[in-house]
C-alpha cells in the first residue's frame, strides 16, 4: 500500500508548535519598551496627568474636610504619585512644553496648600488653635521651600539642598492623614505630630537653602 502523503505536513505542523513552545518569553525590558512606545503614540499628555493629580488632591481635601482621613490620605498619595509621573512622562515621551512645566509647578503648590488648608480647617473646627496655627506655618514654609529653589535657579544657582523636599513632605503628610484619629488602621492619631514635624522641617529647609545660596553667591 503506498505511503500516506499528508504525514510530512502533519509532522511539519507539530514541529512548528514545538518551536513555538520553546521560544523564550518577552523580557521585562522589552515589555517596558513596548509599553513606553504605546504611551508615546497615545494621546496622553503630561498636562492631562498633571490635571488628574490636581483633581485627586481636590478630592483629598474634600475628604479631609469631611473627616474621612484614611480615604483622603489615599487620594492624596495617588494624586502626589501622578505629580511625579507627569515630569517623567514628559521627558520620556518628548511631549513636554514650557507651559506644561509651568503648569506642573503651579499645580504642585496649589495641591499641597489646599490639602493643608483642609487640615487647618479641621483643627479650627475642633477648637485646636495651636495645631491650626502650625499648619499655617507649614503652608508658608512649604511654599518658601519651593520659592527659594526657583529664585536661586533664576540666579544661576542650583538649590536642591535641604531636608524637607517635596517627596519628604508628601510622605509626612500622607502618614499623618492615613493614621489620623478614627482611621481604619487604628484609634490613634499621627496627624498633629505629622503637622508639627512638617512645619519644623520645612522651616529648617528654608534656612538651609538660604544659607546654601548665600555661600554660592559669595564665592
Amino acid at each position: 500500500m503506498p505511503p500516506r502523503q499528508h504525514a510530512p505536513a502533519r509532522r511539519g505542523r507539530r514541529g512548528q508548535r514545538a518551536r513555538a513552545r520553546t521560544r523564550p518569553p518577552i523580557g521585562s525590558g522589552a515589555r517596558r519598551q513596548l509599553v513606553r512606545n504605546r504611551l508615546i503614540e497615545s494621546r496622553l499628555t503630561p498636562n492631562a496627568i498633571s490635571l488628574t493629580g490636581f483633581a485627586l488632591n481636590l478630592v483629598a481635601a474634600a475628604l479631609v474636610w469631611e473627616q474621612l482621613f484614611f480615604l483622603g490620605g489615599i487620594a492624596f498619595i495617588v494624586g502626589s504619585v501622578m505629580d511625579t509621573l507627569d515630569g517623567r512622562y514628559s521627558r520620556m515621551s518628548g511631549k513636554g512644553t514650557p507651559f506644561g512645566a509651568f503648569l506642573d509647578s503651579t499645580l504642585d503648590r496649589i495641591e499641597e496648600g489646599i490639602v493643608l488648608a483642609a487640615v487647618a480647617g479641621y483643627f479650627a473646627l475642633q477648637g485646636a488653635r495651636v495645631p491650626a496655627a502650625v499648619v499655617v506655618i507649614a503652608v508658608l514654609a512649604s511654599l518658601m521651600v519651593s520659592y527659594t529653589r526657583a529664585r536661586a535657579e533664576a540666579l544661576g544657582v542650583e538649590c536642591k539642598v535641604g531636608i524637607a523636599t517635596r517627596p519628604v513632605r508628601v510622605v509626612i503628610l500622607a502618614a499623618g492623614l492615613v493614621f489620623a484619629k478614627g482611621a481604619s488602621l487604628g484609634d490613634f492619631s499621627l496627624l498633629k505630630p505629622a503637622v508639627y514635624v512638617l512645619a519644623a522641617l520645612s522651616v529648617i529647609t528654608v534656612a538651609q537653602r538660604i544659607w546654601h545660596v548665600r555661600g554660592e553667591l559669595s564665592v
Side-chain angles (χ1 to χ4, degrees):
M1 184 173 60
R4 296 178 181 177
Q5 298 297 323
H6 58 277
R10 184 179 299 174
R11 286 197 297 270
R13 288 194 295 270
R14 288 177 182 172
Q16 290 173 0
R17 288 196 295 269
R19 286 193 298 271
R21 285 194 298 268
T22 58
R23 287 175 183 170
I26 299 176
S28 58
R31 289 196 189 97
R32 288 195 295 267
Q33 185 63 35
L34 181 61
V35 172
R36 175 179 177 179
N37 291 338
R38 288 182 177 177
L39 285 173
I40 293 174
E41 294 171 359
S42 69
R43 296 184 179 181
L44 182 65
T45 64
N47 290 350
I49 300 176
S50 298
L51 292 172
T52 302
F54 176 67
L56 286 170
N57 278 275
L58 289 177
V59 172
L63 290 170
V64 170
W65 182 259
E66 295 296 328
Q67 301 184 26
L68 299 173
F69 297 110
F70 181 76
L71 294 177
I74 296 300
F76 176 67
I77 292 171
V78 178
S80 299
V81 169
M82 299 293 287
D83 290 336
T84 62
L85 290 178
D86 55 4
R88 293 183 181 180
Y89 179 69
S90 175
R91 293 187 295 270
M92 178 187 72
S93 64
K95 296 180 180 179
T97 62
F99 174 74
F102 168 80
L103 179 66
D104 179 31
S105 298
T106 302
L107 292 180
D108 285 350
R109 306 291 83 74
I110 296 174
E111 291 161 2
E112 190 173 5
I114 198 169
V115 175
L116 284 172
V119 174
Y122 162 72
F123 284 136
L125 290 175
Q126 299 298 315
R129 293 183 293 179
V130 173
V134 172
V135 174
V136 174
I137 295 174
V139 172
L140 293 175
S142 297
L143 291 175
M144 287 304 300
V145 168
S146 301
Y147 175 79
T148 50
R149 176 181 174 180
R151 192 70 185 92
E153 290 180 349
L155 295 173
V157 178
E158 185 176 7
C159 187
K160 297 181 180 180
V161 302
I163 303 173
T165 57
R166 177 162 170 76
V168 173
R169 299 198 304 272
V170 167
V171 170
I172 294 172
L173 182 55
L177 292 173
V178 171
F179 293 98
K181 186 176 181 180
S184 60
L185 296 182
D187 192 22
F188 56 92
S189 178
L190 284 183
L191 187 55
K192 286 183 182 179
V195 166
Y196 295 150
V197 171
L198 180 62
L201 293 184
S202 297
V203 170
I204 292 173
T205 302
V206 172
Q208 287 178 312
R209 293 191 169 183
I210 292 174
W211 186 262
H212 170 75
V213 174
R214 179 181 181 276
E216 292 293 318
L217 294 179
S218 299
V219 175

